[in-house]
Structures are given as structure tokens and as C-alpha cells.
Amino acid sequence: MLDILDQDIKFLTGVGPRRSEILSKELGISTYGDLLEYYPYKYVDRSRLYHISELSADMPFVQLKGRILSFEEFEQGRRKKRIVAHFTDGHGVCDLVWFNGSKYIYQQYQTNKEYIVFGKPGIFNGRFQLSHPDIDDADKLQLSEMGMQPYYVTTEKMKNSGLNSRAIEKLVRTLLTKLTTPLPETLPPFITERLHLISRDAAFRQVHYPKSTDEMQRARLRLKFEELFYVQLNILRYASDQRRKYRGYLFPRVGEQFNRFYKENLPFELTGAQKRVMHEIRADMNSGRQMNRLLQGDVGSGKTLVALMSMLIAIDNGYQACIMAPTEILAEQHLQTIADFLKGMDLRVELLTGVVKGKRREAVLQGLTTGEVHILVGTHAVIEDNVQFHRLGLAVVDEQHRFGVAQRAKLWAKSENPPHVLVMTATPIPRTLAMTIYGDLDVSIIDELPPGRKPIQTLHKYDNQTTSLYQGIRQQVAEGRQVYIVFPLIKESEKMDLKNLEQGYEGLKEIFPDLRMSKIHGQMKSKEKEAEMARFVCGETQILVATTVIEVGVNVPNASVMVILEAQRFGLSQLHQLRGRVGRGADQSYCILVTGQQLSTETRKRIDIMCETNDGFRIAEADLKLRGPGDLEGTQQSGMAFDLKIADIARDGQIVQLARDEAQKIIDDDPTCEKSVYQLLWNRLAALRKTNINWGVIS
């Protein structure tokens, strides 16, 4: 039976070569199986008939049974006609209306023949009308069999070829009729029976043609669980393989460097969260297995300090450490932070980015191979083939989603055994999403800010309220503070936006002629960016006008105001990251979101959430619900494709957890995938891995 699902869609009655090409290009439907997995996005109850006398304009959809009395045509301008059919069910009269396709209408429908009409009622000239309704012969449509009518997403190209939602529905019906024997099961009875899941065959039939809401929900639960279960089983199997395959370096000592730093250089008492995370990392490094840990923490929560202390443990055990950052600015920031933390300690910390060239680069590479360089800070330059370490024991990856899977894997080749890996992110990831994207990593969370930090106040202003905004900026600068003003250059290729920034910069110079300004954008050369940033960092300039190039890692404790212009063009996570550039000192800081007055409902929700909370995890959850996982920054590059067909990571958190728990039980019982009782699962997983689904996972 699996063979029939692999059958080319063009052989299904009603498709053919032309339609199959459209289905493949528009929806990725090439086989019978693809069509079966093209699920409805909504359902409408078709089991009930209404009378015309019961209609009201606020009804969503109604179904009427009656006859067409007569047709009438109205001119709608050049070559356009509105066709109206006067329809009665014996309890009143309403109009059926079409705005095109006159020949088709007259060929298809006749007067005084009984039809069942389905559509959304509206009122025109005091009379109920249904525009472009679905119409079926009353003697061919059995209402008792209709139940909930499925609706499928279609594109303009498909509609032009007659492939609207109703046509897709008919193709699915044809396919289900063709499947005369039940589809083979893909989950064993010990799972389906314990979780009360219906069979796979019943799920496919009922998800397309449910007779009730309850039937539809049971079908969707079965299909969602299966989809998420195999994703989790794949991730956990991979993680289990890695743990068995690779022994980690053993770091039993907490020695001189760590203790000296802790006693003499630690700038403040660690928060409870930092202490807890250090215990988790310490246990990993002393376990004999390779650490693969994700460190989540909001902007300014002290992740870099935790990473540095972890690096000192590696150094105390005779190993080197490196930290890889996505941009040169962030790498230099890390270098400066680490150098400040380690002041007075006899440790060599070096930078390796694209700007480190010539003799300086040679000296760094030489120091790495001899072991004289203890900590290397760099960009993707760290993973170049000519970069060789003496003994790399710990690799820290900052903002991991900005690196591809292949790039990260190259770090493993830098050492005899794979080094311990600590992945840091300041983009809080909702738990259900973390379980799917970062499923093979253990997760640590720093959920406390260091003492003395005041929550950032976030305000929303319209672009006609800039007078008070500029007064506020002047006041902050007069008190010795500094200000970021961000323009929405979303893509570096948007020349119009770059022009926007240049014009905005000139305009700001006219508004603040007495203040000193810097300017940064992604198309500037590295040296120019560095110079401008350095001027702002040392306080030489008071306002930094920038694009989102400053989103990650820039640390200026004296900056207390972040102004984000056209804030409606940014996602929630991006707004939160930008806001995190201020509030890094002891002073009260502000984030001002400036928008136009015409805002969509979704944009207004984003702005409201930003003004209500500074909690990155709440913001990430809201972002996931508003935009879906595929749109979230990072998830597309993360190595885990979100081509889930029916499950929704944002809304199906409980099913994700259930699927993970079931998958974990199986991995615990059969880590080497050899037990015959689980053979159905391992065979199914192997079959899925051969499909075009991207099953890549992260490490």
C-alpha cells in the first residue's frame, strides 16, 4: 500500500500532466501521499440546511435547498457583467451573484432544477445575496454524508486552472475512494493504545472528511503526534549516538586560574542563576562525556562571565578555549570584555577575524599550535583549515543560529576528541521550540539580571510626536548620557533604506547641531565601522545613528536611550535585542518605539507586548504565536527545517512534550536501535530520512 502513496499525482483521475505540474510547483504535491498530507486549514459544517427566512448578514456560511427562478444581467463597465440568479426555497427569495464567467454559469445551472447552495450571506439593495456560491445538484449531494466541509489553501495560479479549494477536495475524495485497503500503521500498538490514538488510516480519512468536530480533533491529534514524535525520535537518537560515540575530555580540576579569578577579579557576586548554571557546566565537564549545552539568558544577564569561567576550567586542566561570534564587532567586544575581566592574570587572549592580517595573524596561529594562546576570540575565521590548536578543550559559540551546521561541525575537527561545546544565545527561545531546534542540547537558563540593574522603560510614540522625543534626548545628553537612534535597514541591499538612513542622519544633524554624532551601517568597511563605534564607546560622540548592525553585542553602559524609528518594520525578537543595547549601567534607561499611526492589529500587539514586559521569554512566546516558528529569526538557519505539515510548534506545546517523552522512553530502552519490538519505528525513521525533509540537527 505504501507503493500507491508514491504514485505520481498525474495518474489520479482529474489531475493529468498540466494540473500535476501546477500542483507540484505551487504546493509541492507530486505524489498521492503528498496530496493526502495536504491538510485542510478550516472546516464548515455542511450537515444543516437553513431557510432563507432564517438568514442574517452576520452568519459565516449557510446552506440552502431550492430552485433558480430566473437569471438577470447587469453591465459592470467595459466587457464586464454581473449575473444574478433569483433563488427560492419556498420560505423567501435571495440572489446568487457572479461577477464573471457568464457562459459557464448558463451552461452549468438551469431554472426550476433543485440545487443545494452554499455560501456567505450578505445584503445588497435590501435583499440577501450569496456571491460566487458553491452549487450542487440536490439529488447528487447527500447531506448526511457531508459533515464538515474541508477548505484548502490555494494560490491564484491554481484558481486560474480550476484548482480551487473545492477542486482539491474532490481530488482528495477520489484518492480516498481509490485506497480500498487500510493504510499500513506507522506507530506500534503499545503507543497508540496507551495514548488512545486512532489508526493512521482513520486519521487520514477523518482529517479530510470529519463528520463532527470531535472526529476532526481526534484525527488531527493522531497526525500531529506522529509528525512530532518522529522529529523528536530523530533528534534524541542522534544525541544518544553522539554521547556514545564521543567521549568528552575530563576536566576534574578547578585550579589556580579559576580560583584566582574568582577571588581577585570577579567584579560582583554571581547571581543565583549564574551559580546554578556553573554547577551544571562543571558537572558536564567532569562527566567523561562531551558537553553540548545551550546557555540561554536575556541581554545583560551575564552569559559571557559564565562562559569565561568555563574557559578557565579548561585552561586549569591543560586545554585551550575559543569563543566564536557572528560579527567582527561582537568578537572585538568579547575580546575587550574578557581582557578587562582577566586584567593582571598571566593568560594570553588573542583575536582572529578578517581584519587580523600579516605578521599579527601569523603570531596568533603560531601561538595556537604551541599552546601559548590560552583563549582565542574570533569570527568564522576560527574554523578555517589553517587554524590549528595545540589542545582545544572548550568551544563557545555565541548566537549559534547565525552559523550553519557545517560551520559548527568544523570546530569538532580542531581537536583529537570533539571539544566541549557551550552555545550561548540572547534570543530567548520558547521551551517547545528549543526542544525541536536545539533538541540534542542540554539547556541552561540564566533568568536573573545582575544586582543594580533597573528595568528599561519602553514607550510608544507616533511619528508626529517627535518634538517631545527630541526634548527627551537633549535632556538625557545634558545629564551625560548617550543615545542610539536606529533606522530600519532590514536587508543590506535595500538602497532606498540606506538613502533613508543618510537623509535621516543629515536631518538629525540639523535638529541637534550642537551634539556630536557617529553613524554605522552594514555597507561601511570594517575599519570605518570600528572607528565610528570606538568614538561612541569612549564618549567622544553622544548619538549613534545606526541600522540593526548594532543589534547584537554592543556594550556601552553609558547609553541610556534607544530610539527605534519605523518600529513596525521589526519583529518582536529584533526589537527586544535592540532594546538590550541600553540598560547596561546603573542609570534608568528608555526604549522609544516610533511608528506611524496606521498600524495593523498584529503590529499593535507587538508594540503593546514590548511596552508591557522586559521578559525575553514572554516576548519569544508571543513572537512564536504571532509569527510562527518558520519566521522567527534563526530557526530557518538553525539546521532544522520547519516543514511540519500539520503540527504547530507555537500552539501544540503539550503534544511536543508528549511526543518527546514517548521518544525518550524508546531511546532509553533501545539506545542502539536494535530491539525487534521497535523495528517498525526504526524502519519508519529510516524511510522518513530518505525523503526531502531536512532532518539536520544541531550540535
Side-chain angles (χ1 to χ4, degrees):
M1 180 56 74
L2 277 176
D3 291 342
I4 196 169
L5 294 187
D6 294 332
Q7 183 83 266
D8 193 315
I9 196 70
K10 73 182 173 196
F11 298 119
L12 185 68
T13 307
V15 181
R18 193 176 67 84
R19 279 184 158 188
S20 74
E21 195 178 321
I22 291 166
L23 285 168
S24 176
K25 277 184 183 169
E26 296 296 293
L27 300 178
I29 294 175
S30 303
T31 65
Y32 288 4
D34 293 338
L35 180 62
L36 211 52
E37 290 186 339
Y38 192 65
Y39 301 110
Y41 73 96
K42 72 172 182 180
Y43 304 84
V44 173
D45 187 355
R46 292 289 306 263
S47 60
R48 182 180 166 186
L49 277 175
Y50 287 84
H51 292 314
I52 292 172
S53 57
E54 295 178 89
L55 295 187
S56 67
D58 58 357
M59 285 178 163
F61 288 92
V62 294
Q63 197 162 234
L64 309 169
K65 186 177 183 181
R67 302 167 187 275
I68 294 172
L69 298 170
S70 62
F71 289 97
E72 204 172 348
E73 284 187 10
F74 299 89
E75 295 296 331
Q76 292 284 105
R78 202 171 158 209
R79 293 188 185 174
K80 286 193 176 179
K81 288 178 182 175
R82 176 165 59 95
I83 300 165
V84 176
H86 305 299
F87 181 85
T88 182
D89 64 351
H91 296 270
V93 177
C94 72
D95 291 336
L96 314 179
V97 184
W98 296 268
F99 294 96
N100 46 40
S102 55
K103 276 187 187 170
Y104 171 81
I105 303 302
Y106 294 132
Q107 286 166 2
Q108 199 75 3
Y109 309 121
Q110 303 151 28
T111 55
N112 293 316
K113 183 179 176 182
E114 199 161 49
Y115 293 107
I116 288 175
V117 173
F118 177 77
K120 187 173 184 341
I123 295 177
F124 181 72
N125 284 344
R127 190 139 135 182
F128 282 108
Q129 68 171 28
L130 279 69
S131 298
H132 293 269
D134 286 344
I135 301 181
D136 292 279
D137 288 0
D139 55 354
K140 289 183 185 172
L141 193 68
Q142 295 298 316
L143 288 182
S144 58
E145 292 174 13
M146 279 302 290
M148 314 273 289
Q149 183 175 339
Y151 276 73
Y152 300 86
V153 172
T154 55
T155 66
E156 210 52 50
K157 257 188 190 170
M158 290 172 66
K159 285 171 189 163
N160 292 341
S161 303
L163 282 168
N164 57 12
S165 173
R166 196 70 189 278
I168 298 287
E169 181 201 331
K170 283 175 181 168
L171 293 178
V172 172
R173 191 185 283 278
T174 303
L175 175 57
L176 288 172
T177 309
K178 206 176 179 72
L179 302 176
T180 50
T181 54
L183 291 167
E185 194 46 83
T186 45
L187 291 174
F190 64 80
I191 290 180
T192 54
E193 287 169 14
R194 188 172 68 251
L195 299 180
H196 306 290
L197 297 173
I198 63 172
S199 73
R200 180 170 177 249
D201 186 76
F204 273 125
R205 293 178 191 279
Q206 291 171 21
V207 80
H208 289 289
Y209 287 102
K211 291 196 167 57
S212 65
T213 305
D214 181 58
E215 201 172 85
M216 177 263 289
Q217 286 171 342
R218 284 164 63 85
R220 290 178 73 83
L221 172 63
R222 157 65 207 239
L223 295 167
K224 285 179 179 189
F225 173 83
E226 179 174 339
E227 190 169 54
L228 292 167
F229 171 77
Y230 278 108
V231 169
Q232 294 298 338
L233 188 65
N234 185 66
I235 290 168
L236 293 171
R237 183 199 61 82
Y238 172 88
S240 171
D241 283 355
Q242 297 302 99
R243 289 192 181 114
R244 281 183 300 102
K245 206 182 290 180
Y246 299 109
R247 290 205 56 74
Y249 292 121
L250 202 58
F251 293 168
R253 294 182 63 225
V254 173
E256 181 194 339
Q257 302 294 355
F258 184 95
N259 288 323
R260 183 179 166 191
F261 174 78
Y262 198 85
K263 286 170 190 164
E264 298 175 19
N265 285 39
L266 195 65
F268 45 75
E269 175 74 16
L270 293 180
T271 63
Q274 285 173 315
K275 287 177 183 172
R276 184 186 69 241
V277 169
M278 277 310 305
H279 282 304
E280 291 166 351
I281 291 169
R282 176 89 184 85
D284 282 353
M285 289 176 155
N286 199 28
S287 68
R289 68 177 179 86
Q290 185 209 14
M291 173 171 76
N292 268 301
R293 187 163 287 279
L294 171 67
L295 177 55
Q296 282 187 258
D298 229 330
V299 176
S301 60
K303 295 184 300 297
T304 309
L305 179 58
V306 166
L308 174 59
M309 291 168 74
S310 308
M311 289 192 263
L312 291 174
I313 293 173
I315 292 164
D316 275 335
N317 285 274
Y319 288 83
Q320 297 160 289
C322 75
I323 179 165
M324 193 161 79
T327 65
E328 288 179 358
I329 285 182
L330 187 48
E332 285 155 18
Q333 189 88 51
H334 279 316
L335 180 77
Q336 189 60 54
T337 303
I338 290 168
D340 289 346
F341 275 141
L342 297 178
K343 217 163 247 175
M345 293 180 65
D346 187 21
L347 290 173
R348 185 173 164 191
V349 184
E350 291 287 0
L351 179 72
L352 192 66
T353 66
V355 297
V356 179
K357 294 186 173 133
K359 287 186 177 173
R360 186 181 162 201
R361 192 181 190 85
E362 279 174 38
V364 172
L365 296 177
Q366 177 71 22
L368 286 172
T369 53
T370 61
E372 293 166 87
V373 172
H374 299 97
I375 296 174
L376 180 68
V377 182
T379 53
H380 57 273
V382 169
I383 56 176
E384 287 172 6
D385 292 339
N386 64 342
V387 180
Q388 297 298 324
F389 290 81
H390 175 60
R391 287 178 100 194
L392 178 63
L394 171 64
V396 179
V397 183
D398 196 12
E399 293 303 336
Q400 136 131 346
H401 62 260
R402 293 172 179 242
F403 296 100
V405 174
Q407 286 178 309
R408 292 189 295 271
K410 276 192 166 187
L411 272 173
W412 287 37
K414 302 287 179 189
S415 197
E416 190 182 335
N417 281 341
H420 292 297
V421 176
L422 182 66
V423 170
M424 301 196 299
T425 179
T427 309
I429 301 154
R431 196 161 166 277
T432 52
L433 193 56
M435 271 194 279
T436 309
I437 311 180
Y438 298 113
D440 60 324
L441 301 181
D442 299 310
V443 179
S444 290
I445 296 173
I446 303 181
D447 49 10
E448 288 176 65
L449 286 178
R453 293 276 177 91
K454 291 178 182 168
I456 301 161
Q457 281 187 28
T458 304
L459 308 167
H460 176 210
K461 285 191 180 287
Y462 294 112
D463 48 18
N464 60 357
Q465 298 174 307
T466 48
T467 309
S468 63
L469 171 64
Y470 296 147
Q471 284 170 350
I473 289 173
R474 278 198 173 282
Q475 190 179 333
Q476 287 289 306
V477 172
E479 290 173 16
R481 313 275 173 266
Q482 288 166 281
V483 178
Y484 295 102
I485 299 179
V486 175
F487 280 82
L489 182 64
I490 308 295
K491 292 177 186 152
E492 295 299 358
S493 59
E494 287 185 27
K495 289 178 182 166
M496 196 181 95
D497 278 344
L498 194 56
K499 189 177 167 192
N500 188 9
L501 178 128
E502 298 287 2
Q503 286 174 346
Y505 180 69
E506 293 304 320
L508 288 166
K509 284 207 299 194
E510 287 175 24
I511 293 160
F512 303 113
D514 50 329
L515 301 183
R516 298 181 302 280
M517 289 190 209
S518 295
K519 175 179 64 177
I520 289 186
H521 58 78
Q523 291 185 1
M524 290 166 71
K525 289 180 180 164
S526 291
K527 281 190 177 174
E528 289 178 273
K529 274 194 283 195
E530 275 176 60
E532 288 291 285
M533 196 68 232
R535 288 174 67 211
F536 187 67
V537 170
C538 72
E540 189 186 318
T541 53
Q542 296 144 315
I543 296 177
L544 176 63
V545 180
T547 62
T548 53
V549 77
I550 60 149
E551 177 190 339
V552 175
V554 178
N555 184 20
V556 184
N558 192 46
S560 64
V561 181
M562 167 63 71
V563 178
I564 304 172
L565 301 172
E566 291 185 56
Q568 73 274 9
R569 292 183 60 185
F570 297 88
L572 262 176
S573 292
Q574 205 172 27
L575 289 172
H576 182 61
Q577 284 282 344
L578 286 166
R579 175 168 62 184
R581 297 305 106 221
V582 295
R584 303 173 83 83
D587 301 305
Q588 178 62 60
S589 291
Y590 304 89
C591 176
I592 320 293
L593 307 175
V594 182
T595 70
Q597 288 174 298
Q598 299 296 314
L599 297 178
S600 68
T601 309
E602 188 183 301
T603 303
R604 210 168 278 284
K605 277 185 193 165
R606 283 209 305 269
I607 301 294
D608 288 347
I609 290 161
M610 284 296 296
C611 294
E612 282 164 20
T613 183
N614 284 300
D615 183 339
F617 288 94
R618 261 193 70 195
I619 285 165
E621 289 282 359
D623 207 13
L624 185 59
K625 282 182 178 148
L626 282 171
R627 299 203 288 162
D631 293 331
L632 286 189
E633 188 185 356
T635 60
Q636 297 291 42
Q637 309 98 288
S638 66
M640 178 73 208
F642 278 87
D643 42 13
L644 297 174
K645 302 256 176 50
I646 191 166
D648 181 331
I649 299 285
R651 292 170 182 84
D652 296 326
Q654 286 180 305
I655 307 175
V656 174
Q657 186 64 61
L658 181 65
R660 189 175 182 82
D661 291 346
E662 290 298 320
Q664 189 65 63
K665 284 177 198 167
I666 286 149
I667 294 293
D668 290 344
D669 191 42
D670 186 18
T672 54
C673 311
E674 290 171 340
K675 290 191 179 179
S676 58
V677 67
Y678 302 121
Q679 217 45 57
L680 171 70
L681 298 176
W682 303 131
N683 292 343
R684 178 66 176 160
L685 192 59
L688 286 169
R689 290 175 69 88
K690 285 177 189 166
T691 67
N692 60 0
I693 297 173
N694 179 358
W695 289 89
V697 288
I698 285 174
S699 186

